Amino acid sequence: MTETAIIAAGALIVLLTLYDMFNTTISLGGGGPLSAKMIIGIWKRLPWGPGPLRGSAGGILSFCTILMWMALLWLGWTLIFLPVPDAVLRTSNSEPADLAGRIYFTGFTLFTLGLGDYRPDGPLWQILTALCVGTGFLSVTMSATYLVPMLSAAAEKRAVASMIDSMGDTPEDIVINGWREGNLLSLGTRLASLSSQIAGTATSHLSYPILHTFNTAEAARATPVQIVKLNEALLLIEHGVSPGSRPAALDVLSARRAVTDFFEHAGSGAKPSDEVPPTPDLARLAEAGLPTVPQHDFDSAIHHQRDARRRAHGMLLESGWSIKDAVGR
């Protein structure tokens, strides 16, 4: 390769890395092309099943993303300074730096250490050294910009899961626990308050696709598990409880739209499950004194929801959970 080709390759790597960092941290339009492919590749190849690795997945992948940016910037700037002999000189004797010296020079310049063992020679290389320092400072700033709101969104995500779990251990429990004084109005109020938080979590998944890897080893704090549980409870409310005993229609609609948004944003890359989850237990609601529709009407309505429920099940499997973790059977 000629000197120009090597420098051009280095510049291209630097520009692609900066573009990826911008798309991932500032644009809020999802991950950049490089980081998204790396995250998907690692996520699909490692066993994130039950165990401590599941709870560490988000942190591991975030670290890998930042490490990839730093490594690519280091590689790109090294290639820029590599082919021209007099681009980098030893400070002690003004001799051209060897390969190891140029890698060392690029590293301490990029990470703004400024040790001074090597120096750029001439105005062009001095300007490029200043740009190298700037990209290093920018990468640190962007990494912080990336991590702080994402960790906040991850905490909010777990808070939403805990709130849903507090409503009941199973979809049937959520509905039964909301039955007060012959109606489900109190449950409707709870659903309305949850809707905005679930919608916010769904939007965060759109802005930070890596957020779905911030999992937990506890089902009670796992958002995919709890959202699927709430979805099954909504099916019981919408199609199992007698119309006159349901919560306010607007409260149920708000919750349904928030849950649908979550599935679209957080589970968009998941493959639908081959199996349909078990039908919610309508008999338990009747035993608890709730007025219900005929079983065959409920079964028919649930059958029409099979594709959506298979997609929800697929999201659970993608996250390392099973349908039993969500519905208790």
Side-chain angles (χ1 to χ4, degrees):
M1 296 177 66
T2 65
E3 292 181 358
T4 303
I6 294 175
I7 293 173
L12 181 61
I13 291 173
V14 171
L15 291 174
L16 283 175
T17 304
L18 292 176
Y19 175 76
D20 188 81
M21 292 173 65
F22 175 82
N23 273 321
T24 303
T25 63
I26 297 178
S27 70
L28 300 182
L34 301 177
S35 55
K37 288 183 179 179
M38 184 206 67
I39 290 168
I40 292 173
I42 297 176
W43 177 255
K44 290 185 178 297
R45 285 169 175 77
L46 290 182
W48 305 106
L53 190 59
R54 172 189 284 168
S56 304
I60 291 172
L61 292 174
S62 297
F63 175 76
C64 288
T65 300
I66 295 173
L67 191 64
M68 179 194 69
W69 290 336
M70 299 300 182
L72 287 175
L73 286 175
W74 197 344
L75 173 62
W77 280 111
T78 298
L79 290 176
I80 290 173
F81 284 105
L82 180 63
V84 179
D86 294 334
V88 181
L89 304 178
R90 290 179 179 273
T91 302
S92 59
N93 56 17
S94 296
E95 291 291 326
D98 57 11
L99 175 60
R102 291 168 194 264
I103 295 174
Y104 171 64
F105 168 78
T106 304
F108 76 63
T109 301
L110 184 63
F111 302 119
T112 65
L113 297 178
L115 298 179
D117 298 33
Y118 296 87
R119 61 178 177 84
D121 185 47
L124 173 61
W125 300 108
Q126 289 171 349
I127 291 172
L128 289 175
T129 298
L131 289 176
C132 182
V133 173
T135 56
F137 180 78
L138 187 64
S139 67
V140 173
T141 303
M142 283 189 167
S143 296
T145 302
Y146 172 64
L147 286 176
V148 172
M150 186 178 61
L151 292 176
S152 176
E156 178 65 22
K157 172 183 171 180
R158 293 189 179 187
V160 169
S162 296
M163 292 180 66
I164 297 173
D165 184 66
S166 70
M167 297 169 67
D169 294 332
T170 67
E172 295 81 6
D173 288 339
I174 290 177
V175 181
I176 292 172
N177 293 340
W179 182 249
R180 295 286 184 275
E181 299 178 358
N183 60 67
L184 291 171
L185 295 179
S186 62
L187 179 58
T189 302
R190 188 73 179 271
L191 291 175
S193 65
L194 262 177
S195 298
S196 60
Q197 294 173 288
I198 296 173
T201 299
T203 303
S204 296
H205 275 274
L206 182 62
S207 301
Y208 304 103
I210 194 176
L211 194 60
H212 79 277
T213 68
F214 279 82
N215 219 321
T216 174
E218 302 173 26
R221 295 193 300 161
T223 314
V225 171
Q226 299 303 324
I227 292 292
V228 169
K229 181 200 294 184
L230 180 61
N231 180 64
E232 296 291 294
L234 287 173
L235 291 175
L236 282 166
I237 295 169
E238 293 166 324
H239 305 293
V241 177
S242 297
S245 300
R246 295 171 187 170
L250 183 59
D251 294 339
V252 177
L253 179 61
S254 297
R256 168 55 62 200
R257 287 185 173 177
V259 168
T260 300
D261 285 346
F262 183 89
F263 286 145
E264 288 180 356
H265 299 325
S268 58
K271 179 183 176 182
S273 170
D274 294 331
E275 299 179 4
V276 180
T279 301
D281 189 357
L282 188 63
R284 277 201 59 199
L285 271 61
E287 291 171 1
L290 278 76
T292 60
V293 301
Q295 183 68 48
H296 63 84
D297 291 346
F298 179 66
D299 290 340
S300 176
I302 293 300
H303 178 72
H304 285 93
Q305 298 293 325
R306 63 186 182 279
D307 290 339
R309 298 178 73 227
R310 285 176 57 241
R311 288 193 295 271
H313 189 193
M315 182 190 70
L316 272 181
L317 296 177
E318 179 81 10
S319 301
W321 299 97
S322 69
I323 192 64
K324 185 177 180 180
D325 296 312
V327 302
R329 62 185 183 281

